[in-house]
Amino acid sequence: MKQTVVACLLLFVVGSLSAASAEFDLGEVRAFFPVADRLVEAEGQPPVTRIYRGNVLLGYAFVTTDIVPIPAYSGEPIHTLVTMDTTGTITGVRILAHEEPILVVGITEQDLQQFIDQYLGKSIDDTLKIGGRSRQGTTVLDGISGATITVMVLNASITRSLEEVSKSLTLSDGVSPSDKAGAVGTTSGDYGPIWVQVWQERIFQIVVLALGLLVLLFILIMQDWLARHPRLLQRLRTGFLIYTVLFIGWYSLAQLSIVNVLTFLRSLFREFNWESFLIDPAMFILWSFVAVTIVLWGRGVYCGWLCPFGALQEFVFRLGRYLKVPSFEFPEVVHERLWAIKYIILLGLFGLSLHSLSLAETYAEVEPFKTAITLRFQREWGFVFYALLMLLVSLFIRKFFCRYVCPLGAALTFPARFRIFDWLRRRKECGHPCQICRNECEVGSIRGTGEIIETECHYCLACQITYWNTQKCPPLIDKRRRQERHRRNAGGVAAKAPPSDPPT
């Protein structure tokens, strides 16, 4: 096993090559300057190519990553060609190369083109901002739903490149760099990290997410006490799952994905940059929390409490129970064989990522997360059909996708093997002969012999409710009955005892 892991890591290192800056030619420039007949390569810094027709200077062209290579969500910058005329007016914007998951599969070409077209006609001196309130001297551009971080990076790459080009070509209208910096979130002569601006703009989201995670932390720490109050625990769990779907999922778009894992692994063997991960505050906070809970409680905390698509499946299954839809469970031998599917998918995606992360991102659509959560079902019918199919299956088989297909769940089992504590209580009678917890486990992660399979547990705490239930757990029932018999016998003996002599 160790040899296999080492071999895979070596392949990853060999297969991961630094992305070179995208180049452009006269043909691409002619899309924006049809009469151009030659380009003069840039000299000095920043590298700006001059566009000519004969001896007449028509404008300028540059690639943003040659000037300000800002890492995007994937950890790699977005290579964008920008052209402008001699007055500093933008005449064209084209993405030459990128590795953004949401742009590979998720955002349509039409949505992306509509966003890019907003730059046409803007001046090099305009202050451009994505979304939010319009302020004096600021032009607000419409973002793309589900790709907020990506378009913010794209906008920062373009605007910061334009400012550098403006200073080098003296095309500015006289506005000083310091004046432009309160507007675009940079300091004079220096660009602040884009993630700082994002965190400042999303303070509400950060606070609500932090409060929610504190509530979950309370539930996990107090699980023994809460398990003795099953109605309270069940209400807390239902409420938290609603919070997970609505706030973490559809509002914050913080659905973790196997793509995040592949991107992180890729960054470890290339130029690691924290800014790539800090750029989305909700995702960064959530991943940090998951990392801690994996070490303390195992991977089940994320899968059972924090995964928006997993919570959505749970509600679909509950709807089926309410509508009296018959449920189905595979025989144990089949059930345990089906677990292998998600590990096979994980290995396949990892292998593809060694060759091309973009290719792996495409096949990672086996996760319906992007369709159901990030894009809120606003996609082509094929993706929507697949996501709805997974939800429909969960109407009959509880959390079918999570149990048998999810590559992210499979990936989280590996660090979970380093779990420090064992918080789930068991008795020697579990499985010998008691089978109550096994029959009630929502994902079938308890074997007939009584042990909990930690790599498959979703930490729903149903088994802990039974563990403390004196009306349901056989060992506790026997103990309670013995105590009741003892009290009855003690009461009977007291009744038969002769009265004591009166005091003298």
Side-chain angles (χ1 to χ4, degrees):
M1 178 64 183
K2 290 183 179 179
Q3 291 84 347
T4 302
V5 172
V6 172
C8 288
L9 292 179
L10 288 175
L11 284 173
F12 192 93
V13 174
V14 173
S16 299
L17 300 176
S18 298
S21 175
E23 298 179 351
F24 60 93
D25 55 25
L26 181 60
E28 289 172 303
V29 171
R30 278 179 172 165
F32 312 116
F33 288 93
V35 298
D37 57 16
R38 67 188 179 98
L39 303 177
V40 176
E41 297 296 331
E43 294 182 0
Q45 292 296 328
V48 181
T49 298
R50 287 170 169 76
I51 306 169
Y52 285 91
R53 181 188 182 187
N55 293 322
V56 178
L57 176 64
L58 302 178
Y60 308 91
F62 59 88
V63 178
T64 56
T65 43
D66 291 336
I67 303 175
V68 281
I70 302 175
Y73 192 78
S74 64
E76 296 293 334
I78 303 173
H79 303 273
T80 308
L81 170 65
V82 180
T83 63
M84 60 185 181
D85 62 23
T86 54
T87 67
T89 300
I90 299 175
T91 59
V93 177
R94 173 175 294 175
I95 294 178
L96 299 177
H98 69 86
E99 294 187 13
E100 291 298 276
I102 198 68
L103 298 184
V104 173
V105 181
I107 299 302
T108 66
E109 194 67 31
Q110 181 180 3
D111 290 336
L112 185 58
Q113 192 60 50
Q114 287 177 349
F115 172 77
I116 290 176
D117 286 347
Q118 296 179 91
Y119 288 94
L120 302 183
K122 301 296 188 296
S123 170
I124 198 171
D125 294 302
D126 290 338
T127 299
L128 307 176
K129 178 185 177 184
I130 303 297
R133 295 180 179 178
S134 178
R135 296 180 297 175
Q136 185 176 3
T138 302
T139 300
V140 176
L141 305 179
D142 295 329
I144 303 178
S145 177
T148 307
I149 299 298
T150 297
V151 297
M152 286 183 70
V153 172
L154 181 59
N155 182 66
S157 300
I158 294 173
T159 55
R160 294 181 181 185
S161 296
L162 285 170
E163 184 172 344
E164 293 299 318
V165 171
S166 172
K167 288 187 288 186
S168 69
L169 300 178
T170 63
L171 294 175
S172 175
D173 60 1
V175 180
S176 68
S178 59
D179 290 338
K180 292 186 67 178
V184 299
T186 65
T187 58
S188 179
D190 181 34
Y191 295 109
I194 189 175
W195 68 267
V196 175
Q197 178 186 350
V198 177
W199 283 63
Q200 291 171 344
E201 293 179 354
R202 300 194 175 187
I203 189 66
F204 169 77
Q205 182 188 84
I206 293 170
V207 170
V208 175
L209 178 59
L211 290 174
L213 296 180
L214 285 175
V215 170
L216 179 55
L217 194 61
F218 169 81
I219 293 172
L220 296 173
I221 293 175
M222 301 297 294
Q223 64 183 47
D224 285 341
W225 181 82
L226 288 170
R228 299 178 190 181
H229 301 79
R231 183 171 298 179
L232 173 60
L233 177 56
Q234 289 164 353
R235 288 178 177 175
L236 280 173
R237 177 164 168 76
T238 298
F240 198 89
L241 292 180
I242 293 173
Y243 163 84
T244 295
V245 173
L246 298 182
F247 181 79
I248 295 180
W250 287 333
Y251 179 81
S252 300
L253 307 181
Q255 170 72 67
L256 305 189
S257 166
I258 188 60
V259 173
N260 304 133
V261 177
L262 298 177
T263 302
F264 179 76
L265 291 175
R266 182 185 179 90
S267 69
L268 290 179
F269 299 101
R270 304 181 68 173
E271 186 177 351
F272 186 84
N273 189 336
W274 275 113
E275 186 174 351
S276 304
F277 303 97
L278 287 165
I279 202 167
D280 189 332
M283 294 288 278
F284 181 82
I285 293 171
L286 196 57
W287 267 118
S288 301
F289 185 85
V290 170
V292 173
T293 56
I294 281 178
V295 174
L296 297 179
W297 287 277
R299 69 112 177 180
V301 174
Y302 174 74
C303 296
W305 293 82
L306 291 169
C307 177
F309 190 76
L312 197 58
Q313 289 181 90
E314 175 64 20
F315 285 127
V316 170
F317 181 81
R318 293 187 187 185
L319 176 63
R321 301 289 68 72
Y322 178 78
L323 297 176
K324 300 187 182 338
V325 176
S327 61
F328 174 78
E329 286 292 335
F330 294 106
E332 184 172 5
V333 64
V334 177
H335 166 67
E336 294 196 0
R337 299 300 185 275
L338 290 176
W339 284 340
I341 295 175
K342 59 179 177 285
Y343 293 98
I344 294 172
I345 294 173
L346 172 64
L347 290 174
L349 292 174
F350 178 74
L352 286 173
S353 72
L354 301 180
H355 173 67
S356 168
L357 184 59
S358 296
L359 185 63
E361 290 164 357
T362 301
Y363 283 95
E365 285 293 328
V366 69
E367 296 176 328
F369 306 158
K370 191 181 298 181
T371 299
I373 305 299
T374 308
L375 297 175
R376 307 182 189 95
F377 294 100
Q378 302 299 309
R379 291 191 78 181
E380 297 85 348
W381 73 268
F383 294 103
V384 175
F385 174 79
Y386 173 67
L388 292 176
L389 178 63
M390 290 295 100
L391 291 175
L392 180 62
V393 173
S394 67
L395 192 69
F396 307 94
I397 304 176
R398 195 171 198 162
K399 302 183 81 169
F400 172 86
F401 177 83
C402 297
R403 296 160 72 178
Y404 305 124
V405 184
C406 182
L408 175 61
L412 295 181
T413 63
F414 292 98
R417 297 178 188 276
F418 298 99
R419 180 175 51 88
I420 298 175
F421 302 109
D422 190 0
W423 296 69
L424 298 179
R425 299 179 180 273
R426 307 297 288 156
R427 291 191 169 87
K428 59 183 178 62
E429 294 87 354
C430 295
H432 308 281
C434 182
Q435 300 289 319
I436 293 177
C437 291
R438 172 177 175 267
N439 294 332
E440 292 182 344
C441 180
E442 68 177 39
V443 292
S445 64
I446 301 179
R447 287 203 169 97
T449 50
E451 69 268 18
I452 296 174
I453 307 169
E454 299 289 348
T455 55
E456 300 299 326
C457 174
H458 285 197
Y459 223 87
C460 66
L461 299 177
C463 61
Q464 300 305 286
I465 292 176
T466 299
Y467 179 92
W468 295 107
N469 193 330
T470 59
Q471 305 295 324
K472 197 172 187 180
C473 180
L476 293 186
I477 292 175
D478 291 341
K479 181 179 179 180
R480 175 177 55 80
R481 288 175 176 172
R482 287 195 302 269
Q483 291 174 340
E484 290 174 350
R485 283 196 299 268
H486 177 74
R487 284 195 295 268
R488 285 197 301 268
N489 292 337
V493 170
K496 295 178 181 179
S500 59
D501 293 334
T504 57

